[in-house]
Amino acid sequence: MLFAPSVAGHRSLRLPSWQEKLTTWAPLGYQPSPDQEPIHRAMERIILVTGGWQAGKSLVPTMELVARCIGKDLFWIVGPDYEQARAEFSYFVQAMTALEMTEPDSLNWPKEGSCDVTLLGGTQIITKSAYASEKLGSYAPDGILVVEAGQVEWDVIEMLRGRVGPKRGWIMMTGTLEKAQTWYREKAKAWRFGNTEWEAKSYSLPSWGNLSIYPGGRLDPEIKAMELVLRKEVFAEKIAGEPLQSALAVWGEFDERVHCDRERARFVREATSPLTGKPMPKPVMLAIDPGWDDPYAVVALQWDTQPNRAYAIDMLYRRHLQTPDIVALCQARPWWPNVRGGVIDVAARHHGSGRPHIEEWLYSGGIALASQPVGIEAGLVRMRSFLREPITEKPRLFINPDTCQELVSEFKAESYQDYEHTKLIDADNHARKAISYWLVHMFGYSQPRNFKRVDNIVPLFGDQTVAQYLRNMKKTAVSV
């Protein structure tokens, strides 16, 4: 009888601490710079690094592998081809040889093809080629370095994610943005504040992070000189390692440095009543876009008037959960007692089978929701007016990056199908659309002369009160 290996028995589940890494690197004289350190401290399973010219994009992942490989079984270094995986493999062999941790005569380094080495204790490190993806099989690795990752096809990345699954392993992808594929740029932007589904986060490794070349760091005279003479987009991508927004991007106004503000977008439990001057619960409203295979998005929002500002304080972003389950998750959040209503996609008035979502929110949570048709362009225009107020050009929408990572990712990823910006790709926009509906509901259309407001928002319970409607629903349920 064959038995599957126990996950608990794998040696790959624990990552070394920061202090353990420093202890491993000390004999090698490696001390990460302040720009390199966040990458080494990262605990996400999937790490994506975009590097500037001469930023140390080979040294940093190699030293991370040195720290992580001790006491484990198998690691891969994957390049677009075998040749491009050799630099990191060479650095790794040099480091482990200096630490006297390689098995004698275990190094296999042919002129072409895959290289491998075995460490004391039996750990194996093997180079692989993304072009020979049919060979990315056999035993499951504990971790994978993907070098020059921007030149690797996305389906190969998905394949590698599957390969580390049995051991709950990790993947670190590094490379430059030069000639990088679209997915690499988009993931670098979308994962900036983390991605829960992929357990991923992206980092930039600027050229000035390599202090051996630029000892002055960001203020090094050569860096400042290049900043003066290079075009802004060239400096951003090739020196700072920062991905620029695609020409197909919908939200050119979105700037994570401006709109992501955890202090402004924190949950405020109480506010002073303008009428009585006494503390009162500060209301929360929900913006909802139901889904099943697509995410079921619920964004909790608070707002101010004079001037009008909105704050995305928290969200849920779940697949394959029914509305009662989503309601239950919301009820466990600290802001739930402050919920005073919300807005839901107009399609939620109808459901193929069972109670419509809008009714289920009322029945399960006691929350009466509004819904109205909002045209695509109307939703876009209203959202733009909150990302950047047309007259003052100041932001009016603030997002908590700790609790609304998926919303940040949507602003980074939502795209047009064409460079004329005539048609949206209806994906990566579930939470964003819900907020657009809410903004129209709360503040009206941004261009009232161009867009006719729909004022006949009739609650599904008609002339009944909410309490009467709930009682009738419960009677119906009992009779059924």
PDB file of all heavy atoms in Angstrom, residues 131-149:
ATOM      1  N   TYR A 131      11.846  27.088 -20.562  1.00  0.00           N
ATOM      2  CA  TYR A 131      11.545  26.647 -21.919  1.00  0.00           C
ATOM      3  C   TYR A 131      11.369  25.137 -21.993  1.00  0.00           C
ATOM      4  O   TYR A 131      10.674  24.630 -22.865  1.00  0.00           O
ATOM      5  CB  TYR A 131      12.662  27.076 -22.878  1.00  0.00           C
ATOM      6  CG  TYR A 131      12.715  28.565 -23.112  1.00  0.00           C
ATOM      7  CD1 TYR A 131      13.916  29.202 -23.390  1.00  0.00           C
ATOM      8  CD2 TYR A 131      11.564  29.344 -23.053  1.00  0.00           C
ATOM      9  CE1 TYR A 131      13.971  30.578 -23.608  1.00  0.00           C
ATOM     10  CE2 TYR A 131      11.607  30.709 -23.263  1.00  0.00           C
ATOM     11  CZ  TYR A 131      12.813  31.325 -23.543  1.00  0.00           C
ATOM     12  OH  TYR A 131      12.857  32.683 -23.754  1.00  0.00           O
ATOM     13  N   ALA A 132      12.005  24.426 -21.071  1.00  0.00           N
ATOM     14  CA  ALA A 132      11.833  22.967 -21.005  1.00  0.00           C
ATOM     15  C   ALA A 132      10.843  22.652 -19.889  1.00  0.00           C
ATOM     16  O   ALA A 132      11.139  21.921 -18.950  1.00  0.00           O
ATOM     17  CB  ALA A 132      13.178  22.276 -20.767  1.00  0.00           C
ATOM     18  N   SER A 133       9.654  23.242 -19.997  1.00  0.00           N
ATOM     19  CA  SER A 133       8.685  23.146 -18.901  1.00  0.00           C
ATOM     20  C   SER A 133       8.215  21.722 -18.654  1.00  0.00           C
ATOM     21  O   SER A 133       7.744  21.404 -17.558  1.00  0.00           O
ATOM     22  CB  SER A 133       7.473  24.047 -19.183  1.00  0.00           C
ATOM     23  OG  SER A 133       6.858  23.697 -20.413  1.00  0.00           O
ATOM     24  N   GLU A 134       8.362  20.853 -19.664  1.00  0.00           N
ATOM     25  CA  GLU A 134       7.954  19.461 -19.451  1.00  0.00           C
ATOM     26  C   GLU A 134       8.849  18.766 -18.428  1.00  0.00           C
ATOM     27  O   GLU A 134       8.491  17.723 -17.882  1.00  0.00           O
ATOM     28  CB  GLU A 134       7.986  18.698 -20.786  1.00  0.00           C
ATOM     29  CG  GLU A 134       9.382  18.427 -21.345  1.00  0.00           C
ATOM     30  CD  GLU A 134       9.960  19.626 -22.084  1.00  0.00           C
ATOM     31  OE1 GLU A 134       9.256  20.657 -22.166  1.00  0.00           O
ATOM     32  OE2 GLU A 134      11.100  19.532 -22.577  1.00  0.00           O
ATOM     33  N   LYS A 135      10.024  19.362 -18.140  1.00  0.00           N
ATOM     34  CA  LYS A 135      10.936  18.778 -17.161  1.00  0.00           C
ATOM     35  C   LYS A 135      10.769  19.389 -15.772  1.00  0.00           C
ATOM     36  O   LYS A 135      11.532  19.083 -14.863  1.00  0.00           O
ATOM     37  CB  LYS A 135      12.383  18.945 -17.638  1.00  0.00           C
ATOM     38  CG  LYS A 135      12.689  18.201 -18.935  1.00  0.00           C
ATOM     39  CD  LYS A 135      14.151  18.346 -19.322  1.00  0.00           C
ATOM     40  CE  LYS A 135      14.436  17.591 -20.622  1.00  0.00           C
ATOM     41  NZ  LYS A 135      15.864  17.721 -21.031  1.00  0.00           N
ATOM     42  N   LEU A 136       9.806  20.294 -15.627  1.00  0.00           N
ATOM     43  CA  LEU A 136       9.550  20.911 -14.325  1.00  0.00           C
ATOM     44  C   LEU A 136       8.630  20.009 -13.516  1.00  0.00           C
ATOM     45  O   LEU A 136       7.563  20.397 -13.060  1.00  0.00           O
ATOM     46  CB  LEU A 136       8.926  22.298 -14.497  1.00  0.00           C
ATOM     47  CG  LEU A 136       9.809  23.337 -15.186  1.00  0.00           C
ATOM     48  CD1 LEU A 136       9.032  24.631 -15.396  1.00  0.00           C
ATOM     49  CD2 LEU A 136      11.065  23.603 -14.385  1.00  0.00           C
ATOM     50  N   GLY A 137       9.025  18.790 -13.342  1.00  0.00           N
ATOM     51  CA  GLY A 137       8.200  17.820 -12.641  1.00  0.00           C
ATOM     52  C   GLY A 137       8.996  17.091 -11.590  1.00  0.00           C
ATOM     53  O   GLY A 137       9.798  17.668 -10.884  1.00  0.00           O
ATOM     54  N   SER A 138       8.776  15.828 -11.492  1.00  0.00           N
ATOM     55  CA  SER A 138       9.442  14.932 -10.537  1.00  0.00           C
ATOM     56  C   SER A 138       9.140  15.371  -9.104  1.00  0.00           C
ATOM     57  O   SER A 138       8.013  15.706  -8.782  1.00  0.00           O
ATOM     58  CB  SER A 138      10.938  14.863 -10.818  1.00  0.00           C
ATOM     59  OG  SER A 138      11.560  16.109 -10.586  1.00  0.00           O
ATOM     60  N   TYR A 139      10.147  15.381  -8.246  1.00  0.00           N
ATOM     61  CA  TYR A 139       9.920  15.626  -6.827  1.00  0.00           C
ATOM     62  C   TYR A 139       9.556  17.081  -6.553  1.00  0.00           C
ATOM     63  O   TYR A 139      10.034  17.998  -7.220  1.00  0.00           O
ATOM     64  CB  TYR A 139      11.161  15.246  -6.023  1.00  0.00           C
ATOM     65  CG  TYR A 139      11.534  13.788  -6.166  1.00  0.00           C
ATOM     66  CD1 TYR A 139      12.584  13.404  -6.989  1.00  0.00           C
ATOM     67  CD2 TYR A 139      10.810  12.806  -5.494  1.00  0.00           C
ATOM     68  CE1 TYR A 139      12.918  12.058  -7.135  1.00  0.00           C
ATOM     69  CE2 TYR A 139      11.133  11.463  -5.639  1.00  0.00           C
ATOM     70  CZ  TYR A 139      12.188  11.099  -6.466  1.00  0.00           C
ATOM     71  OH  TYR A 139      12.502   9.783  -6.609  1.00  0.00           O
ATOM     72  N   ALA A 140       8.731  17.284  -5.533  1.00  0.00           N
ATOM     73  CA  ALA A 140       8.295  18.638  -5.177  1.00  0.00           C
ATOM     74  C   ALA A 140       9.415  19.374  -4.455  1.00  0.00           C
ATOM     75  O   ALA A 140       9.978  18.867  -3.482  1.00  0.00           O
ATOM     76  CB  ALA A 140       7.056  18.573  -4.293  1.00  0.00           C
ATOM     77  N   PRO A 141       9.753  20.584  -4.892  1.00  0.00           N
ATOM     78  CA  PRO A 141      10.801  21.355  -4.213  1.00  0.00           C
ATOM     79  C   PRO A 141      10.278  22.075  -2.982  1.00  0.00           C
ATOM     80  O   PRO A 141       9.082  22.352  -2.853  1.00  0.00           O
ATOM     81  CB  PRO A 141      11.246  22.349  -5.283  1.00  0.00           C
ATOM     82  CG  PRO A 141      10.021  22.558  -6.113  1.00  0.00           C
ATOM     83  CD  PRO A 141       9.273  21.256  -6.106  1.00  0.00           C
ATOM     84  N   ASP A 142      11.220  22.399  -2.077  1.00  0.00           N
ATOM     85  CA  ASP A 142      10.875  23.200  -0.903  1.00  0.00           C
ATOM     86  C   ASP A 142      10.741  24.673  -1.264  1.00  0.00           C
ATOM     87  O   ASP A 142      10.019  25.421  -0.599  1.00  0.00           O
ATOM     88  CB  ASP A 142      11.956  23.051   0.170  1.00  0.00           C
ATOM     89  CG  ASP A 142      12.062  21.628   0.683  1.00  0.00           C
ATOM     90  OD1 ASP A 142      11.287  21.274   1.573  1.00  0.00           O
ATOM     91  OD2 ASP A 142      12.920  20.863   0.180  1.00  0.00           O
ATOM     92  N   GLY A 143      11.458  25.096  -2.285  1.00  0.00           N
ATOM     93  CA  GLY A 143      11.410  26.486  -2.709  1.00  0.00           C
ATOM     94  C   GLY A 143      11.993  26.637  -4.103  1.00  0.00           C
ATOM     95  O   GLY A 143      12.747  25.767  -4.567  1.00  0.00           O
ATOM     96  N   ILE A 144      11.640  27.741  -4.756  1.00  0.00           N
ATOM     97  CA  ILE A 144      12.073  27.969  -6.132  1.00  0.00           C
ATOM     98  C   ILE A 144      12.501  29.429  -6.287  1.00  0.00           C
ATOM     99  O   ILE A 144      11.763  30.344  -5.894  1.00  0.00           O
ATOM    100  CB  ILE A 144      10.950  27.673  -7.142  1.00  0.00           C
ATOM    101  CG1 ILE A 144      10.493  26.202  -7.037  1.00  0.00           C
ATOM    102  CG2 ILE A 144      11.399  27.979  -8.560  1.00  0.00           C
ATOM    103  CD1 ILE A 144       9.270  25.891  -7.892  1.00  0.00           C
ATOM    104  N   LEU A 145      13.686  29.628  -6.857  1.00  0.00           N
ATOM    105  CA  LEU A 145      14.072  30.951  -7.343  1.00  0.00           C
ATOM    106  C   LEU A 145      13.761  31.006  -8.827  1.00  0.00           C
ATOM    107  O   LEU A 145      14.181  30.119  -9.583  1.00  0.00           O
ATOM    108  CB  LEU A 145      15.569  31.202  -7.154  1.00  0.00           C
ATOM    109  CG  LEU A 145      16.130  31.352  -5.741  1.00  0.00           C
ATOM    110  CD1 LEU A 145      17.600  31.760  -5.810  1.00  0.00           C
ATOM    111  CD2 LEU A 145      15.343  32.357  -4.924  1.00  0.00           C
ATOM    112  N   VAL A 146      13.037  32.022  -9.256  1.00  0.00           N
ATOM    113  CA  VAL A 146      12.790  32.240 -10.682  1.00  0.00           C
ATOM    114  C   VAL A 146      13.562  33.493 -11.060  1.00  0.00           C
ATOM    115  O   VAL A 146      13.233  34.596 -10.601  1.00  0.00           O
ATOM    116  CB  VAL A 146      11.296  32.412 -10.999  1.00  0.00           C
ATOM    117  CG1 VAL A 146      11.088  32.491 -12.510  1.00  0.00           C
ATOM    118  CG2 VAL A 146      10.495  31.255 -10.422  1.00  0.00           C
ATOM    119  N   VAL A 147      14.624  33.342 -11.865  1.00  0.00           N
ATOM    120  CA  VAL A 147      15.471  34.474 -12.231  1.00  0.00           C
ATOM    121  C   VAL A 147      15.081  34.977 -13.616  1.00  0.00           C
ATOM    122  O   VAL A 147      14.607  34.216 -14.454  1.00  0.00           O
ATOM    123  CB  VAL A 147      16.957  34.079 -12.172  1.00  0.00           C
ATOM    124  CG1 VAL A 147      17.294  33.574 -10.785  1.00  0.00           C
ATOM    125  CG2 VAL A 147      17.300  33.015 -13.201  1.00  0.00           C
ATOM    126  N   GLU A 148      15.256  36.290 -13.837  1.00  0.00           N
ATOM    127  CA  GLU A 148      14.762  36.933 -15.057  1.00  0.00           C
ATOM    128  C   GLU A 148      13.307  36.523 -15.286  1.00  0.00           C
ATOM    129  O   GLU A 148      12.893  36.151 -16.383  1.00  0.00           O
ATOM    130  CB  GLU A 148      15.638  36.591 -16.265  1.00  0.00           C
ATOM    131  CG  GLU A 148      17.061  37.081 -16.162  1.00  0.00           C
ATOM    132  CD  GLU A 148      17.170  38.596 -16.018  1.00  0.00           C
ATOM    133  OE1 GLU A 148      16.197  39.308 -16.315  1.00  0.00           O
ATOM    134  OE2 GLU A 148      18.243  39.077 -15.598  1.00  0.00           O
ATOM    135  N   ALA A 149      12.533  36.646 -14.209  1.00  0.00           N
ATOM    136  CA  ALA A 149      11.160  36.140 -14.216  1.00  0.00           C
ATOM    137  C   ALA A 149      10.278  36.846 -15.234  1.00  0.00           C
ATOM    138  O   ALA A 149       9.299  36.269 -15.720  1.00  0.00           O
ATOM    139  CB  ALA A 149      10.551  36.263 -12.816  1.00  0.00           C
TER     140      ALA A 149
END
